[in-house]
Amino acid sequence: MHPSLIAITTFNQLEYTRQMLESIRALPTKPFDLLLVDDASSDDTVAFVREWGVKHIIAKEAPGGVTDSWNKAYAYFKAGAWQNLFLANNDVLLGPQAIEIMADLLTQRPQSIVGPVCNPEGAPYNQEQWITNYTPESPAVIELPEGLNVNGFFFGVQRSVIAYEIAPAMLFDPQNLNYHNEEELAGRLYPHGFRSLIATRAVLFHYKNRSFQIADRTTQDNLNDYAAFLQHREA
């Protein structure tokens, strides 16, 4: 068992999931286990990821929304021995060393909610996570003030968060069916000393927003953007 569990939440959109898994396959090291939480997809997502090699799978019989998927991922994490839980959309492409960087930060500051930097289109309402705001000389860690939080497309917590669940095996408020999950969590944990942190050296590419904003955008367009994005990171 690796120290980190990455829980990917899905509902159809198999092509997005396939591209994410291919980005994982390309990583030089994989210090994490994968969990798929599928919200009753009808496009053979579960069969595909099982064939791909994902061993940890929760396949819901009826859709329950993102928050329900996150809570099921959290319960699975809590029942295991992983130290870190990362929750991920299925439309994220992982940059090299991103998971290691965020996991190291969680080890150093276990009372944290940690997120990466990404392309501006991937977090249009959260400029603190735009890679364009940072250079190699920028601090490696940015602490967000109260009222700001990392975007829910990808973020991580450590096992210390278990002390603050709202019910047994439930970390996220089920009233937030699909939205505001990370915002509510950050607000609830802030009085207990938890802080939202951005690891500016941890780079991910979030492309669903990019795809939806531009009509007729292809998967190859997204991958070309990702290649340019990584070049910018190295510049």
Side-chain angles (χ1 to χ4, degrees), residues 144-172:
L144 299 180
E146 185 175 10
L148 294 179
N149 55 273
V150 298
N151 191 289
F153 68 84
F154 197 104
F155 66 97
V157 293
Q158 223 213 28
R159 290 192 76 84
S160 58
V161 79
I162 291 174
Y164 306 100
E165 60 186 15
I166 61 177
M170 183 178 291
L171 183 63
F172 302 95

Side-chain angles (χ1 to χ4, degrees), residues 26-235:
L27 295 176
T29 59
K30 302 173 183 63
F32 51 82
D33 294 316
L34 291 176
L35 165 67
L36 179 86
V37 185
D38 184 72
D39 205 28
S41 292
S42 58
D43 63 355
D44 295 324
T45 290
V46 172
F48 173 82
V49 299
R50 184 174 286 122
E51 183 177 350
W52 192 88
V54 177
K55 298 178 181 179
H56 305 279
I57 297 174
I58 298 173
K60 295 193 276 184
E61 294 183 359
V66 171
T67 303
D68 178 68
S69 293
W70 283 9
N71 275 326
K72 283 181 167 54
Y74 167 72
Y76 198 93
F77 162 76
K78 181 183 177 183
W82 296 280
Q83 290 302 307
N84 309 309
L85 171 65
F86 292 98
L87 291 163
N89 287 5
N90 69 321
D91 59 328
V92 172
L93 302 179
L94 280 68
Q97 305 299 313
I99 307 306
E100 293 94 323
I101 291 169
M102 287 188 283
D104 286 346
L105 183 53
L106 284 170
T107 298
Q108 298 166 24
R109 299 183 60 174
Q111 289 189 292
S112 302
I113 303 172
V114 174
V117 292
C118 71
N119 49 312
E121 299 87 354
Y125 306 110
N126 195 344
Q127 295 188 25
E128 289 77 17
Q129 286 190 257
W130 293 2
I131 191 175
T132 49
N133 289 336
Y134 304 103
T135 69
E137 289 72 38
S138 299
V141 180
I142 302 295
E143 181 177 314
L144 299 180
E146 185 175 10
L148 294 179
N149 55 273
V150 298
N151 191 289
F153 68 84
F154 197 104
F155 66 97
V157 293
Q158 223 213 28
R159 290 192 76 84
S160 58
V161 79
I162 291 174
Y164 306 100
E165 60 186 15
I166 61 177
M170 183 178 291
L171 183 63
F172 302 95
D173 189 338
Q175 294 186 56
N176 299 318
L177 186 64
N178 286 308
Y179 303 103
H180 308 302
N181 317 288
E182 66 275 19
E183 179 182 345
E184 189 279 332
L185 180 68
R188 176 156 43 92
L189 294 183
Y190 194 90
H192 300 286
F194 278 74
R195 296 296 179 262
S196 294
L197 306 178
I198 296 174
T200 65
R201 309 294 191 266
V203 177
L204 301 185
F205 186 80
H206 182 213
Y207 69 86
K208 189 185 297 180
N209 281 332
R210 180 69 166 170
S211 299
F212 288 171
Q213 287 173 357
I214 302 176
D216 301 321
R217 188 168 185 80
T218 68
T219 298
Q220 190 58 51
D221 290 330
N222 289 317
L223 296 179
N224 290 342
D225 271 0
Y226 180 50
F229 176 69
L230 291 181
Q231 287 180 356
H232 173 86
R233 170 182 176 265
E234 299 300 332

